[in-house]
């Protein structure tokens, strides 16, 4: 089916199609062809590659080796690897086995897509299409981990490239001596409660909370009356 659709777009030999581009230079042509030759999969192509024309046809690679460069490096070329999966669980396991992708494209029912999205991590997602999540200025674009850090687009990019500076003003009229040396066990216990907690015992905290709620309720009743 994929070959039929590709042929309807570019004819049986994409070299004759004015709608199909060329690789930018010979170096990248060599790089992409090296990925293809070492893939270990069945190659189905719409035409014959030509280095002189920097042409690589739309190419399907069925069953490439999972550890091949084609499956572990960025392609940036007209190669589409195809791996057969027998279940949604297998799909999720395969996605999670590698670095988190910059984009995750899912074709299928929305319920299945939502399940895959819930169980995986990626820079962005587009369901039943490609690229359009990048074109939407209201969605952030960026990677996770190996696919990049941070995101941009609109306010997302503004926030990403801005530094949010924390500023605190403290009054000086209260400055307890217990903050300063010499330190003892009482200091240590107080610092532990302040930094780790709980500052107040659970029972006392509950009692104070209950008292505050009761006072607030009484105040509300007084206002209404």
């Amino acid at each position: 089916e994929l070959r039929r659709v590709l042929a309807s777009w570019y004819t049986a030999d994409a070299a004759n199609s004015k709608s199909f581009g060329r690789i930018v230079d010979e170096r990248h042509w060599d790089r992409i062809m090296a990925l293809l030759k070492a893939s270990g999969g069945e190659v189905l192509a719409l035409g014959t590659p030509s280095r002189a024309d920097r042409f690589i046809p739309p190419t399907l690679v069925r069953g490439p080796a999972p550890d091949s460069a084609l499956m572990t490096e960025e392609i940036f070329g007209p190669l589409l690897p195809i791996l057969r999966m027998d279940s949604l669980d297998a799909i999720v396991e395969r996605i999670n086995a590698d670095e988190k992708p910059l984009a995750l494209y899912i074709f299928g029912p929305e319920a299945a897509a939502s399940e895959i999205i819930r169980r995986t991590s990626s820079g962005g997602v587009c369901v039943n299409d490609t690229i359009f999540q990048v074109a939407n200025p209201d969605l952030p674009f960026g990677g996770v981990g190996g696919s990049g850090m941070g995101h941009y687009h609109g306010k997302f990019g503004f926030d990403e490239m801005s530094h949010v500076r924390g500023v605190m003003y403290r009054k000086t009229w209260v400055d307890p001596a217990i903050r300063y040396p010499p330190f003892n066990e009482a200091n240590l216990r107080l610092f532990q409660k302040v930094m780790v907690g709980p500052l107040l015992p659970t029972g006392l905290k509950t009692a104070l909370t209950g008292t505050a709620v009761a006072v607030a309720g009484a105040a509300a009743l007084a206002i209404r009356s």
Side-chain angles (χ1 to χ4, degrees), residues 50-87:
S50 170
R51 191 175 191 274
D53 295 332
R54 304 191 313 278
F55 170 70
I56 298 177
T59 304
L60 308 176
V61 184
R62 188 157 54 190
D67 59 349
S68 65
L70 181 69
M71 296 300 296
T72 57
E73 298 181 10
E74 293 182 307
I75 298 172
F76 288 113
L79 313 181
L80 179 63
I82 301 174
L83 293 177
R84 181 182 179 85
M85 299 291 165
D86 296 324
S87 66

PDB file of all heavy atoms in Angstrom, residues 50-87:
ATOM      1  N   SER A  50      21.378   7.727  -7.562  1.00  0.00           N
ATOM      2  CA  SER A  50      22.399   8.264  -8.450  1.00  0.00           C
ATOM      3  C   SER A  50      23.194   9.324  -7.705  1.00  0.00           C
ATOM      4  O   SER A  50      22.651  10.379  -7.347  1.00  0.00           O
ATOM      5  CB  SER A  50      21.771   8.876  -9.699  1.00  0.00           C
ATOM      6  OG  SER A  50      22.724   9.604 -10.448  1.00  0.00           O
ATOM      7  N   ARG A  51      24.482   9.054  -7.482  1.00  0.00           N
ATOM      8  CA  ARG A  51      25.323  10.030  -6.779  1.00  0.00           C
ATOM      9  C   ARG A  51      25.540  11.268  -7.629  1.00  0.00           C
ATOM     10  O   ARG A  51      25.609  12.394  -7.122  1.00  0.00           O
ATOM     11  CB  ARG A  51      26.664   9.402  -6.413  1.00  0.00           C
ATOM     12  CG  ARG A  51      27.500  10.245  -5.443  1.00  0.00           C
ATOM     13  CD  ARG A  51      28.763   9.498  -5.028  1.00  0.00           C
ATOM     14  NE  ARG A  51      29.430  10.157  -3.925  1.00  0.00           N
ATOM     15  CZ  ARG A  51      30.320  11.152  -4.044  1.00  0.00           C
ATOM     16  NH1 ARG A  51      30.615  11.618  -5.256  1.00  0.00           N
ATOM     17  NH2 ARG A  51      30.880  11.690  -2.982  1.00  0.00           N
ATOM     18  N   ALA A  52      25.656  11.086  -8.942  1.00  0.00           N
ATOM     19  CA  ALA A  52      25.887  12.224  -9.833  1.00  0.00           C
ATOM     20  C   ALA A  52      24.745  13.222  -9.759  1.00  0.00           C
ATOM     21  O   ALA A  52      24.960  14.441  -9.826  1.00  0.00           O
ATOM     22  CB  ALA A  52      26.069  11.727 -11.267  1.00  0.00           C
ATOM     23  N   ASP A  53      23.530  12.713  -9.611  1.00  0.00           N
ATOM     24  CA  ASP A  53      22.352  13.592  -9.511  1.00  0.00           C
ATOM     25  C   ASP A  53      21.951  13.861  -8.061  1.00  0.00           C
ATOM     26  O   ASP A  53      20.929  14.518  -7.827  1.00  0.00           O
ATOM     27  CB  ASP A  53      21.170  12.967 -10.255  1.00  0.00           C
ATOM     28  CG  ASP A  53      21.405  12.869 -11.746  1.00  0.00           C
ATOM     29  OD1 ASP A  53      22.162  13.715 -12.274  1.00  0.00           O
ATOM     30  OD2 ASP A  53      20.848  11.950 -12.374  1.00  0.00           O
ATOM     31  N   ARG A  54      22.720  13.291  -7.116  1.00  0.00           N
ATOM     32  CA  ARG A  54      22.391  13.394  -5.681  1.00  0.00           C
ATOM     33  C   ARG A  54      20.960  12.918  -5.428  1.00  0.00           C
ATOM     34  O   ARG A  54      20.240  13.485  -4.597  1.00  0.00           O
ATOM     35  CB  ARG A  54      22.576  14.832  -5.171  1.00  0.00           C
ATOM     36  CG  ARG A  54      23.952  15.399  -5.399  1.00  0.00           C
ATOM     37  CD  ARG A  54      24.179  16.707  -4.658  1.00  0.00           C
ATOM     38  NE  ARG A  54      23.084  17.646  -4.816  1.00  0.00           N
ATOM     39  CZ  ARG A  54      22.917  18.443  -5.863  1.00  0.00           C
ATOM     40  NH1 ARG A  54      23.781  18.412  -6.866  1.00  0.00           N
ATOM     41  NH2 ARG A  54      21.887  19.273  -5.931  1.00  0.00           N
ATOM     42  N   PHE A  55      20.576  11.862  -6.132  1.00  0.00           N
ATOM     43  CA  PHE A  55      19.204  11.347  -6.062  1.00  0.00           C
ATOM     44  C   PHE A  55      19.152  10.060  -5.253  1.00  0.00           C
ATOM     45  O   PHE A  55      19.920   9.126  -5.493  1.00  0.00           O
ATOM     46  CB  PHE A  55      18.670  11.081  -7.471  1.00  0.00           C
ATOM     47  CG  PHE A  55      17.363  10.339  -7.499  1.00  0.00           C
ATOM     48  CD1 PHE A  55      16.188  10.944  -7.084  1.00  0.00           C
ATOM     49  CD2 PHE A  55      17.310   9.005  -7.929  1.00  0.00           C
ATOM     50  CE1 PHE A  55      14.986  10.256  -7.103  1.00  0.00           C
ATOM     51  CE2 PHE A  55      16.106   8.311  -7.952  1.00  0.00           C
ATOM     52  CZ  PHE A  55      14.940   8.942  -7.538  1.00  0.00           C
ATOM     53  N   ILE A  56      18.268  10.049  -4.283  1.00  0.00           N
ATOM     54  CA  ILE A  56      17.919   8.820  -3.559  1.00  0.00           C
ATOM     55  C   ILE A  56      16.404   8.728  -3.597  1.00  0.00           C
ATOM     56  O   ILE A  56      15.713   9.649  -3.151  1.00  0.00           O
ATOM     57  CB  ILE A  56      18.408   8.838  -2.099  1.00  0.00           C
ATOM     58  CG1 ILE A  56      19.941   8.923  -2.050  1.00  0.00           C
ATOM     59  CG2 ILE A  56      17.937   7.592  -1.351  1.00  0.00           C
ATOM     60  CD1 ILE A  56      20.505   9.016  -0.637  1.00  0.00           C
ATOM     61  N   PRO A  57      15.848   7.668  -4.152  1.00  0.00           N
ATOM     62  CA  PRO A  57      14.393   7.579  -4.295  1.00  0.00           C
ATOM     63  C   PRO A  57      13.700   7.354  -2.954  1.00  0.00           C
ATOM     64  O   PRO A  57      14.340   6.969  -1.967  1.00  0.00           O
ATOM     65  CB  PRO A  57      14.218   6.367  -5.208  1.00  0.00           C
ATOM     66  CG  PRO A  57      15.395   5.505  -4.906  1.00  0.00           C
ATOM     67  CD  PRO A  57      16.531   6.459  -4.658  1.00  0.00           C
ATOM     68  N   PRO A  58      12.386   7.591  -2.888  1.00  0.00           N
ATOM     69  CA  PRO A  58      11.637   7.194  -1.695  1.00  0.00           C
ATOM     70  C   PRO A  58      11.854   5.702  -1.455  1.00  0.00           C
ATOM     71  O   PRO A  58      11.630   4.891  -2.363  1.00  0.00           O
ATOM     72  CB  PRO A  58      10.184   7.491  -2.070  1.00  0.00           C
ATOM     73  CG  PRO A  58      10.270   8.485  -3.178  1.00  0.00           C
ATOM     74  CD  PRO A  58      11.526   8.167  -3.924  1.00  0.00           C
ATOM     75  N   THR A  59      12.327   5.359  -0.274  1.00  0.00           N
ATOM     76  CA  THR A  59      12.776   3.992  -0.010  1.00  0.00           C
ATOM     77  C   THR A  59      12.179   3.462   1.281  1.00  0.00           C
ATOM     78  O   THR A  59      12.306   4.089   2.340  1.00  0.00           O
ATOM     79  CB  THR A  59      14.311   3.941   0.076  1.00  0.00           C
ATOM     80  OG1 THR A  59      14.874   4.466  -1.135  1.00  0.00           O
ATOM     81  CG2 THR A  59      14.795   2.516   0.268  1.00  0.00           C
ATOM     82  N   LEU A  60      11.535   2.313   1.189  1.00  0.00           N
ATOM     83  CA  LEU A  60      11.026   1.610   2.360  1.00  0.00           C
ATOM     84  C   LEU A  60      12.027   0.523   2.728  1.00  0.00           C
ATOM     85  O   LEU A  60      12.526  -0.185   1.865  1.00  0.00           O
ATOM     86  CB  LEU A  60       9.665   0.982   2.064  1.00  0.00           C
ATOM     87  CG  LEU A  60       8.600   1.909   1.467  1.00  0.00           C
ATOM     88  CD1 LEU A  60       7.335   1.117   1.134  1.00  0.00           C
ATOM     89  CD2 LEU A  60       8.280   3.048   2.414  1.00  0.00           C
ATOM     90  N   VAL A  61      12.327   0.398   4.015  1.00  0.00           N
ATOM     91  CA  VAL A  61      13.261  -0.625   4.488  1.00  0.00           C
ATOM     92  C   VAL A  61      12.510  -1.508   5.472  1.00  0.00           C
ATOM     93  O   VAL A  61      12.241  -1.105   6.604  1.00  0.00           O
ATOM     94  CB  VAL A  61      14.504   0.004   5.148  1.00  0.00           C
ATOM     95  CG1 VAL A  61      15.496  -1.096   5.533  1.00  0.00           C
ATOM     96  CG2 VAL A  61      15.158   1.018   4.219  1.00  0.00           C
ATOM     97  N   ARG A  62      12.159  -2.700   5.020  1.00  0.00           N
ATOM     98  CA  ARG A  62      11.336  -3.597   5.835  1.00  0.00           C
ATOM     99  C   ARG A  62      12.229  -4.501   6.682  1.00  0.00           C
ATOM    100  O   ARG A  62      13.104  -5.192   6.182  1.00  0.00           O
ATOM    101  CB  ARG A  62      10.437  -4.431   4.935  1.00  0.00           C
ATOM    102  CG  ARG A  62       9.409  -5.267   5.688  1.00  0.00           C
ATOM    103  CD  ARG A  62       8.235  -5.617   4.813  1.00  0.00           C
ATOM    104  NE  ARG A  62       8.635  -6.270   3.564  1.00  0.00           N
ATOM    105  CZ  ARG A  62       7.787  -6.489   2.561  1.00  0.00           C
ATOM    106  NH1 ARG A  62       6.525  -6.075   2.658  1.00  0.00           N
ATOM    107  NH2 ARG A  62       8.205  -7.088   1.468  1.00  0.00           N
ATOM    108  N   GLY A  63      12.010  -4.465   7.990  1.00  0.00           N
ATOM    109  CA  GLY A  63      12.733  -5.336   8.905  1.00  0.00           C
ATOM    110  C   GLY A  63      14.196  -5.024   9.072  1.00  0.00           C
ATOM    111  O   GLY A  63      15.023  -5.948   9.076  1.00  0.00           O
ATOM    112  N   PRO A  64      14.594  -3.756   9.234  1.00  0.00           N
ATOM    113  CA  PRO A  64      16.014  -3.467   9.460  1.00  0.00           C
ATOM    114  C   PRO A  64      16.461  -3.984  10.825  1.00  0.00           C
ATOM    115  O   PRO A  64      15.635  -4.184  11.728  1.00  0.00           O
ATOM    116  CB  PRO A  64      16.069  -1.941   9.414  1.00  0.00           C
ATOM    117  CG  PRO A  64      14.706  -1.510   9.856  1.00  0.00           C
ATOM    118  CD  PRO A  64      13.766  -2.546   9.313  1.00  0.00           C
ATOM    119  N   ALA A  65      17.749  -4.205  10.965  1.00  0.00           N
ATOM    120  CA  ALA A  65      18.280  -4.648  12.262  1.00  0.00           C
ATOM    121  C   ALA A  65      18.052  -3.554  13.297  1.00  0.00           C
ATOM    122  O   ALA A  65      18.390  -2.394  13.046  1.00  0.00           O
ATOM    123  CB  ALA A  65      19.761  -4.956  12.134  1.00  0.00           C
ATOM    124  N   PRO A  66      17.476  -3.886  14.448  1.00  0.00           N
ATOM    125  CA  PRO A  66      17.180  -2.864  15.461  1.00  0.00           C
ATOM    126  C   PRO A  66      18.400  -2.080  15.920  1.00  0.00           C
ATOM    127  O   PRO A  66      18.280  -0.920  16.327  1.00  0.00           O
ATOM    128  CB  PRO A  66      16.568  -3.670  16.608  1.00  0.00           C
ATOM    129  CG  PRO A  66      16.013  -4.893  15.953  1.00  0.00           C
ATOM    130  CD  PRO A  66      16.968  -5.213  14.838  1.00  0.00           C
ATOM    131  N   ASP A  67      19.584  -2.704  15.862  1.00  0.00           N
ATOM    132  CA  ASP A  67      20.796  -2.021  16.309  1.00  0.00           C
ATOM    133  C   ASP A  67      21.585  -1.413  15.156  1.00  0.00           C
ATOM    134  O   ASP A  67      22.721  -0.962  15.338  1.00  0.00           O
ATOM    135  CB  ASP A  67      21.692  -2.977  17.097  1.00  0.00           C
ATOM    136  CG  ASP A  67      22.112  -4.197  16.278  1.00  0.00           C
ATOM    137  OD1 ASP A  67      21.542  -4.402  15.186  1.00  0.00           O
ATOM    138  OD2 ASP A  67      23.005  -4.935  16.735  1.00  0.00           O
ATOM    139  N   SER A  68      21.000  -1.386  13.960  1.00  0.00           N
ATOM    140  CA  SER A  68      21.691  -0.802  12.807  1.00  0.00           C
ATOM    141  C   SER A  68      21.724   0.715  12.929  1.00  0.00           C
ATOM    142  O   SER A  68      20.925   1.322  13.656  1.00  0.00           O
ATOM    143  CB  SER A  68      21.000  -1.205  11.504  1.00  0.00           C
ATOM    144  OG  SER A  68      19.692  -0.650  11.437  1.00  0.00           O
ATOM    145  N   ALA A  69      22.644   1.339  12.198  1.00  0.00           N
ATOM    146  CA  ALA A  69      22.749   2.801  12.223  1.00  0.00           C
ATOM    147  C   ALA A  69      21.457   3.449  11.741  1.00  0.00           C
ATOM    148  O   ALA A  69      21.089   4.538  12.199  1.00  0.00           O
ATOM    149  CB  ALA A  69      23.932   3.251  11.373  1.00  0.00           C
ATOM    150  N   LEU A  70      20.769   2.781  10.825  1.00  0.00           N
ATOM    151  CA  LEU A  70      19.502   3.321  10.324  1.00  0.00           C
ATOM    152  C   LEU A  70      18.490   3.504  11.444  1.00  0.00           C
ATOM    153  O   LEU A  70      17.669   4.429  11.416  1.00  0.00           O
ATOM    154  CB  LEU A  70      18.932   2.391   9.244  1.00  0.00           C
ATOM    155  CG  LEU A  70      17.615   2.837   8.590  1.00  0.00           C
ATOM    156  CD1 LEU A  70      17.849   4.075   7.728  1.00  0.00           C
ATOM    157  CD2 LEU A  70      17.023   1.703   7.759  1.00  0.00           C
ATOM    158  N   MET A  71      18.544   2.615  12.447  1.00  0.00           N
ATOM    159  CA  MET A  71      17.583   2.651  13.541  1.00  0.00           C
ATOM    160  C   MET A  71      18.098   3.396  14.775  1.00  0.00           C
ATOM    161  O   MET A  71      17.340   3.618  15.718  1.00  0.00           O
ATOM    162  CB  MET A  71      17.208   1.220  13.934  1.00  0.00           C
ATOM    163  CG  MET A  71      16.489   0.453  12.840  1.00  0.00           C
ATOM    164  SD  MET A  71      14.936   1.252  12.363  1.00  0.00           S
ATOM    165  CE  MET A  71      14.007   1.108  13.885  1.00  0.00           C
ATOM    166  N   THR A  72      19.357   3.771  14.777  1.00  0.00           N
ATOM    167  CA  THR A  72      19.923   4.405  15.967  1.00  0.00           C
ATOM    168  C   THR A  72      20.427   5.820  15.711  1.00  0.00           C
ATOM    169  O   THR A  72      20.751   6.532  16.662  1.00  0.00           O
ATOM    170  CB  THR A  72      21.089   3.572  16.529  1.00  0.00           C
ATOM    171  OG1 THR A  72      22.088   3.402  15.520  1.00  0.00           O
ATOM    172  CG2 THR A  72      20.591   2.199  16.979  1.00  0.00           C
ATOM    173  N   GLU A  73      20.507   6.242  14.434  1.00  0.00           N
ATOM    174  CA  GLU A  73      20.967   7.578  14.114  1.00  0.00           C
ATOM    175  C   GLU A  73      19.866   8.358  13.397  1.00  0.00           C
ATOM    176  O   GLU A  73      18.911   7.775  12.887  1.00  0.00           O
ATOM    177  CB  GLU A  73      22.216   7.518  13.216  1.00  0.00           C
ATOM    178  CG  GLU A  73      23.415   6.840  13.872  1.00  0.00           C
ATOM    179  CD  GLU A  73      24.620   6.822  12.951  1.00  0.00           C
ATOM    180  OE1 GLU A  73      24.577   7.504  11.892  1.00  0.00           O
ATOM    181  OE2 GLU A  73      25.600   6.134  13.274  1.00  0.00           O
ATOM    182  N   GLU A  74      20.013   9.670  13.360  1.00  0.00           N
ATOM    183  CA  GLU A  74      19.072  10.496  12.603  1.00  0.00           C
ATOM    184  C   GLU A  74      19.302  10.272  11.112  1.00  0.00           C
ATOM    185  O   GLU A  74      20.448  10.216  10.656  1.00  0.00           O
ATOM    186  CB  GLU A  74      19.248  11.971  12.960  1.00  0.00           C
ATOM    187  CG  GLU A  74      18.838  12.284  14.398  1.00  0.00           C
ATOM    188  CD  GLU A  74      18.978  13.763  14.726  1.00  0.00           C
ATOM    189  OE1 GLU A  74      20.067  14.309  14.495  1.00  0.00           O
ATOM    190  OE2 GLU A  74      18.000  14.352  15.210  1.00  0.00           O
ATOM    191  N   ILE A  75      18.211  10.176  10.347  1.00  0.00           N
ATOM    192  CA  ILE A  75      18.315   9.813   8.935  1.00  0.00           C
ATOM    193  C   ILE A  75      18.443  11.044   8.042  1.00  0.00           C
ATOM    194  O   ILE A  75      19.346  11.146   7.227  1.00  0.00           O
ATOM    195  CB  ILE A  75      17.094   8.966   8.505  1.00  0.00           C
ATOM    196  CG1 ILE A  75      17.043   7.664   9.308  1.00  0.00           C
ATOM    197  CG2 ILE A  75      17.165   8.666   7.011  1.00  0.00           C
ATOM    198  CD1 ILE A  75      15.789   6.851   9.091  1.00  0.00           C
ATOM    199  N   PHE A  76      17.532  11.980   8.164  1.00  0.00           N
ATOM    200  CA  PHE A  76      17.504  13.172   7.312  1.00  0.00           C
ATOM    201  C   PHE A  76      17.614  12.793   5.836  1.00  0.00           C
ATOM    202  O   PHE A  76      18.448  13.322   5.090  1.00  0.00           O
ATOM    203  CB  PHE A  76      18.613  14.152   7.698  1.00  0.00           C
ATOM    204  CG  PHE A  76      18.363  14.847   9.005  1.00  0.00           C
ATOM    205  CD1 PHE A  76      19.177  14.605  10.092  1.00  0.00           C
ATOM    206  CD2 PHE A  76      17.301  15.721   9.153  1.00  0.00           C
ATOM    207  CE1 PHE A  76      18.947  15.236  11.312  1.00  0.00           C
ATOM    208  CE2 PHE A  76      17.064  16.363  10.366  1.00  0.00           C
ATOM    209  CZ  PHE A  76      17.888  16.108  11.436  1.00  0.00           C
ATOM    210  N   GLY A  77      16.769  11.888   5.416  1.00  0.00           N
ATOM    211  CA  GLY A  77      16.742  11.449   4.025  1.00  0.00           C
ATOM    212  C   GLY A  77      15.467  10.672   3.758  1.00  0.00           C
ATOM    213  O   GLY A  77      14.684  10.390   4.681  1.00  0.00           O
ATOM    214  N   PRO A  78      15.227  10.275   2.503  1.00  0.00           N
ATOM    215  CA  PRO A  78      13.949   9.645   2.108  1.00  0.00           C
ATOM    216  C   PRO A  78      13.894   8.145   2.383  1.00  0.00           C
ATOM    217  O   PRO A  78      13.484   7.353   1.541  1.00  0.00           O
ATOM    218  CB  PRO A  78      13.883   9.947   0.606  1.00  0.00           C
ATOM    219  CG  PRO A  78      15.311   9.944   0.181  1.00  0.00           C
ATOM    220  CD  PRO A  78      16.076  10.536   1.321  1.00  0.00           C
ATOM    221  N   LEU A  79      14.329   7.747   3.581  1.00  0.00           N
ATOM    222  CA  LEU A  79      14.298   6.346   3.979  1.00  0.00           C
ATOM    223  C   LEU A  79      13.286   6.158   5.099  1.00  0.00           C
ATOM    224  O   LEU A  79      13.282   6.929   6.066  1.00  0.00           O
ATOM    225  CB  LEU A  79      15.674   5.875   4.456  1.00  0.00           C
ATOM    226  CG  LEU A  79      16.889   6.216   3.598  1.00  0.00           C
ATOM    227  CD1 LEU A  79      18.155   5.639   4.237  1.00  0.00           C
ATOM    228  CD2 LEU A  79      16.717   5.717   2.178  1.00  0.00           C
ATOM    229  N   LEU A  80      12.436   5.142   4.971  1.00  0.00           N
ATOM    230  CA  LEU A  80      11.440   4.865   6.005  1.00  0.00           C
ATOM    231  C   LEU A  80      11.587   3.431   6.500  1.00  0.00           C
ATOM    232  O   LEU A  80      11.196   2.484   5.814  1.00  0.00           O
ATOM    233  CB  LEU A  80      10.025   5.070   5.458  1.00  0.00           C
ATOM    234  CG  LEU A  80       8.878   4.790   6.454  1.00  0.00           C
ATOM    235  CD1 LEU A  80       8.956   5.754   7.642  1.00  0.00           C
ATOM    236  CD2 LEU A  80       7.527   4.911   5.759  1.00  0.00           C
ATOM    237  N   PRO A  81      12.178   3.231   7.687  1.00  0.00           N
ATOM    238  CA  PRO A  81      12.280   1.880   8.254  1.00  0.00           C
ATOM    239  C   PRO A  81      10.909   1.382   8.705  1.00  0.00           C
ATOM    240  O   PRO A  81      10.083   2.162   9.198  1.00  0.00           O
ATOM    241  CB  PRO A  81      13.214   2.061   9.450  1.00  0.00           C
ATOM    242  CG  PRO A  81      13.792   3.435   9.312  1.00  0.00           C
ATOM    243  CD  PRO A  81      12.818   4.231   8.533  1.00  0.00           C
ATOM    244  N   ILE A  82      10.666   0.096   8.536  1.00  0.00           N
ATOM    245  CA  ILE A  82       9.395  -0.510   8.937  1.00  0.00           C
ATOM    246  C   ILE A  82       9.683  -1.735   9.795  1.00  0.00           C
ATOM    247  O   ILE A  82      10.344  -2.679   9.351  1.00  0.00           O
ATOM    248  CB  ILE A  82       8.556  -0.919   7.718  1.00  0.00           C
ATOM    249  CG1 ILE A  82       8.257   0.307   6.847  1.00  0.00           C
ATOM    250  CG2 ILE A  82       7.254  -1.589   8.159  1.00  0.00           C
ATOM    251  CD1 ILE A  82       7.558  -0.038   5.552  1.00  0.00           C
ATOM    252  N   LEU A  83       9.189  -1.713  11.032  1.00  0.00           N
ATOM    253  CA  LEU A  83       9.297  -2.860  11.934  1.00  0.00           C
ATOM    254  C   LEU A  83       7.897  -3.371  12.239  1.00  0.00           C
ATOM    255  O   LEU A  83       7.001  -2.581  12.524  1.00  0.00           O
ATOM    256  CB  LEU A  83       9.999  -2.477  13.238  1.00  0.00           C
ATOM    257  CG  LEU A  83      11.482  -2.087  13.164  1.00  0.00           C
ATOM    258  CD1 LEU A  83      11.973  -1.664  14.547  1.00  0.00           C
ATOM    259  CD2 LEU A  83      12.319  -3.235  12.633  1.00  0.00           C
ATOM    260  N   ARG A  84       7.718  -4.671  12.185  1.00  0.00           N
ATOM    261  CA  ARG A  84       6.413  -5.260  12.485  1.00  0.00           C
ATOM    262  C   ARG A  84       6.276  -5.470  13.989  1.00  0.00           C
ATOM    263  O   ARG A  84       7.149  -6.046  14.627  1.00  0.00           O
ATOM    264  CB  ARG A  84       6.244  -6.597  11.755  1.00  0.00           C
ATOM    265  CG  ARG A  84       4.886  -7.247  12.004  1.00  0.00           C
ATOM    266  CD  ARG A  84       4.772  -8.589  11.296  1.00  0.00           C
ATOM    267  NE  ARG A  84       3.495  -9.216  11.562  1.00  0.00           N
ATOM    268  CZ  ARG A  84       2.377  -8.976  10.896  1.00  0.00           C
ATOM    269  NH1 ARG A  84       2.403  -8.114   9.877  1.00  0.00           N
ATOM    270  NH2 ARG A  84       1.264  -9.584  11.192  1.00  0.00           N
ATOM    271  N   MET A  85       5.160  -4.998  14.546  1.00  0.00           N
ATOM    272  CA  MET A  85       4.864  -5.178  15.964  1.00  0.00           C
ATOM    273  C   MET A  85       3.526  -5.891  16.093  1.00  0.00           C
ATOM    274  O   MET A  85       2.586  -5.610  15.336  1.00  0.00           O
ATOM    275  CB  MET A  85       4.798  -3.818  16.676  1.00  0.00           C
ATOM    276  CG  MET A  85       6.095  -3.025  16.615  1.00  0.00           C
ATOM    277  SD  MET A  85       7.385  -3.769  17.594  1.00  0.00           S
ATOM    278  CE  MET A  85       8.836  -2.912  16.971  1.00  0.00           C
ATOM    279  N   ASP A  86       3.433  -6.779  17.058  1.00  0.00           N
ATOM    280  CA  ASP A  86       2.232  -7.602  17.198  1.00  0.00           C
ATOM    281  C   ASP A  86       1.222  -7.050  18.195  1.00  0.00           C
ATOM    282  O   ASP A  86       0.101  -7.561  18.290  1.00  0.00           O
ATOM    283  CB  ASP A  86       2.615  -9.031  17.601  1.00  0.00           C
ATOM    284  CG  ASP A  86       3.429  -9.735  16.523  1.00  0.00           C
ATOM    285  OD1 ASP A  86       3.148  -9.488  15.330  1.00  0.00           O
ATOM    286  OD2 ASP A  86       4.330 -10.509  16.871  1.00  0.00           O
ATOM    287  N   SER A  87       1.610  -6.044  18.965  1.00  0.00           N
ATOM    288  CA  SER A  87       0.684  -5.509  19.967  1.00  0.00           C
ATOM    289  C   SER A  87       1.071  -4.091  20.333  1.00  0.00           C
ATOM    290  O   SER A  87       2.193  -3.627  20.052  1.00  0.00           O
ATOM    291  CB  SER A  87       0.695  -6.380  21.232  1.00  0.00           C
ATOM    292  OG  SER A  87       1.961  -6.292  21.877  1.00  0.00           O
TER     293      SER A  87
END
